[in-house]
Amino acid sequence: MEQSTKLDLVDAPNFFYEIRDNLDTYVDYLEELLYIGSWCLVLSEHTARSQLFETSTGIQVVDGELNILTYQPYPELFEHIFNDMPRHSSQVALSDSMIEFKQIIAENYGVEYDHLAAFINQQLQSPVYRLGLTNIEPLKNTIIKELECDENFIHDFYAGLTVNKENCLSIEKCFFNNQSEFRFTYRPILELKVDGQIYNLIGYNKWIESMSLLSTNAFPFGVYPTEWTRHQKIKEFVQKTEETHDKILEDPVVKMLKEKSFFHDSNVESFKQPNGRNINIKNTVGDIDILFIDVDFELIYVCECKHNRSRHDMNNWRRDYSNFKEKYEGQLERKIDWVNQNKHIVETHFQQKYPEDFKSKLTDFDVRGIFIINAPTVYMYNGKYRALTITDINDLLERKYTDVKFQFIDGDSGEVTLIEYPYFDNVKLKMG
């Protein structure tokens, strides 16, 4: 669909008749495209795997036939990952910013969102138009004339939702940057050239899908159409959404801690002291998103919330992995070190917060750092620190959290190797 914006297309008097008369040819083309596309996805996936875990994947060419090899014991590890990830999906916390987005438009640009999407309702009422081409220019001109709204915003609003030949990604980038804001995923309007004239193809369901994805899996992560960056109020809205969306993840965890009666605190910027001279950490190691005490197991948990973007392929999980390894681990480690060196301050803080109930002495408690993440990602299986979803946190607090251990038997020697977390690091260490 995206690549069609680069072509000079030819009209037909009746699409349905034209498709009927050439059905066999079109089916052949579609099957070839699906075959090529599926192999592109496979190669992209294996490329990302080999970049993350360099001993996992190989290529073999025999008699002109390409074979992709996954070396032992990686097949079982990858199978475990893909079977385990769906277990976390039901607890993914969505930050739906669409309501506020509509308010920002109405208050600052002189137009209601419903007016901008009015043609979609027309499609719903008249199904005959759903497969037809339209021209969005008269719609824009009508809105500008009748509502006397911000003309620049109107043009940029629709431009930011349009894929055309100028902004369409190359086929290669479509696979390696499949969550780019220039993808059809986030831009429901296709600009097509047919018989030398410009038309737009806009699907009712596609519009709704794209706007939903923008509000839940783009705005909260600072991603939005480039064309909208020229409008300060939209820019401020996205920045605010990005800065506050960790709260969406933090709230359900705090609720669980309260329900299960764990001593806890959140957004800890300073530690309470009896003399009123609180000890500030915000300007040194940074605030601690969630801090809680497991009295039974003598553990102090230092938690860093990372409302990571929902992703569905190894290529994007590789980006998550790099962020955790190169940036987030260092941030969490500084906070762990501070708590380790200042357990007496933490103890006093909880005594002040729970004066009647907190009686523990934290001197001999271990300090454990964990990431609390929104969506499952491959870092969960090979991090320096544990990355737990809301599902995992619930299991942890209910004493149900367990690690999977893998046992591999060498077919030649019969030697047994046990692989524990972190799985991929231990595979490399023990099996080369």
Side-chain angles (χ1 to χ4, degrees), residues 157-425:
F157 175 80
Y158 289 111
L161 298 175
T162 300
V163 179
N164 55 40
K165 65 180 182 180
E166 281 77 28
N167 62 28
C168 179
L169 300 183
S170 67
I171 292 176
E172 180 182 5
K173 287 185 177 180
C174 284
F175 288 97
F176 287 113
N177 301 308
N178 57 34
Q179 286 192 313
S180 165
E181 56 102 350
F182 291 104
R183 295 302 311 275
F184 188 38
T185 304
Y186 298 110
R187 293 179 174 241
I189 304 172
L190 294 176
E191 184 178 285
L192 305 175
K193 187 176 182 181
V194 183
D195 289 344
Q197 300 295 316
I198 297 298
Y199 294 92
N200 300 102
L201 182 62
I202 313 169
Y204 168 75
N205 291 321
K206 186 68 189 72
W207 176 277
I208 294 175
E209 176 191 63
S210 293
M211 298 309 297
S212 175
L213 287 171
L214 279 170
S215 66
T216 59
N217 206 34
F219 295 161
F221 305 94
V223 177
Y224 63 115
T226 299
E227 293 85 348
W228 295 0
T229 60
R230 292 189 282 268
H231 300 277
Q232 187 61 29
K233 292 299 181 181
I234 297 291
K235 189 174 182 178
E236 290 172 1
F237 154 73
V238 174
Q239 289 174 339
K240 174 191 169 188
T241 304
E242 182 181 18
E243 290 168 358
T244 59
H245 77 299
D246 277 349
K247 187 76 174 172
I248 302 296
L249 178 59
E250 182 182 304
D251 287 349
V253 176
V254 170
K255 181 180 179 182
M256 281 191 283
L257 290 167
K258 286 180 179 178
E259 290 174 349
K260 301 179 192 308
S261 301
F262 281 82
F263 297 113
H264 68 279
D265 201 357
S266 59
N267 295 314
V268 183
E269 297 181 355
S270 64
F271 286 85
K272 296 179 180 180
Q273 300 299 297
N275 56 12
R277 296 180 180 178
N278 296 345
I279 297 174
N280 184 282
I281 61 168
K282 184 177 181 181
N283 299 322
T284 53
V285 297
D287 64 306
I288 297 174
D289 292 333
I290 297 176
L291 183 68
F292 73 92
I293 311 296
D294 189 330
V295 175
D296 295 340
F297 288 91
E298 297 189 341
L299 292 170
I300 304 170
Y301 280 96
V302 179
C303 308
E304 185 90 349
C305 291
K306 292 299 177 188
H307 193 290
N308 58 316
R309 199 173 180 187
S310 293
R311 305 186 189 274
H312 309 284
D313 64 283
M314 189 66 75
N315 195 52
N316 279 306
W317 288 326
R318 180 173 59 86
R319 293 187 175 89
D320 282 346
Y321 191 85
S322 296
N323 286 333
F324 277 97
K325 287 290 186 182
E326 296 171 11
K327 182 180 178 182
Y328 304 150
E329 283 185 352
Q331 294 173 347
L332 180 56
E333 187 164 345
R334 287 192 292 274
K335 297 171 187 181
I336 295 170
D337 289 344
W338 189 94
V339 172
N340 250 322
Q341 296 165 16
N342 297 279
K343 291 178 186 176
H344 61 290
I345 294 175
V346 176
E347 182 180 308
T348 303
H349 175 80
F350 279 101
Q351 288 171 348
Q352 297 295 306
K353 185 173 175 62
Y354 299 94
E356 302 298 324
D357 302 310
F358 189 80
K359 307 297 181 184
S360 299
K361 301 298 180 182
L362 301 183
T363 305
D364 296 326
F365 278 42
D366 289 332
V367 179
R368 185 167 295 178
I370 58 174
F371 293 109
I372 299 176
I373 59 175
N374 183 51
T377 186
V378 75
Y379 177 84
M380 294 166 57
Y381 307 96
N382 202 57
K384 181 177 181 180
Y385 302 106
R386 299 305 177 98
L388 308 182
T389 62
I390 294 176
T391 298
D392 287 329
I393 289 292
N394 185 68
D395 288 346
L396 179 72
L397 299 181
E398 292 187 354
R399 314 309 193 195
K400 297 177 183 177
Y401 183 83
T402 57
D403 275 336
V404 174
K405 298 179 182 179
F406 295 90
Q407 182 174 285
F408 298 102
I409 302 175
D410 187 285
D412 296 324
S413 65
E415 182 181 354
V416 177
T417 303
L418 186 68
I419 303 296
E420 299 179 274
Y421 182 95
Y423 303 116
F424 296 102
D425 284 348

Side-chain angles (χ1 to χ4, degrees), residues 104-157:
I104 295 294
I105 290 176
E107 293 171 3
N108 296 280
Y109 301 105
V111 62
E112 297 284 344
Y113 169 84
D114 290 344
H115 290 138
L116 298 172
F119 62 90
I120 293 300
N121 293 327
Q122 198 174 43
Q123 283 190 2
L124 184 62
Q125 295 166 7
S126 306
V128 69
Y129 293 119
R130 289 192 195 176
L131 293 179
L133 297 173
T134 186
N135 188 331
I136 208 166
E137 289 302 319
L139 170 66
K140 292 195 292 187
N141 294 333
T142 299
I143 291 174
I144 292 168
K145 182 179 179 180
E146 293 185 358
L147 299 179
E148 298 181 354
C149 49
D150 187 324
E151 182 175 349
N152 290 328
F153 173 76
I154 298 300
H155 288 298
D156 287 340
F157 175 80

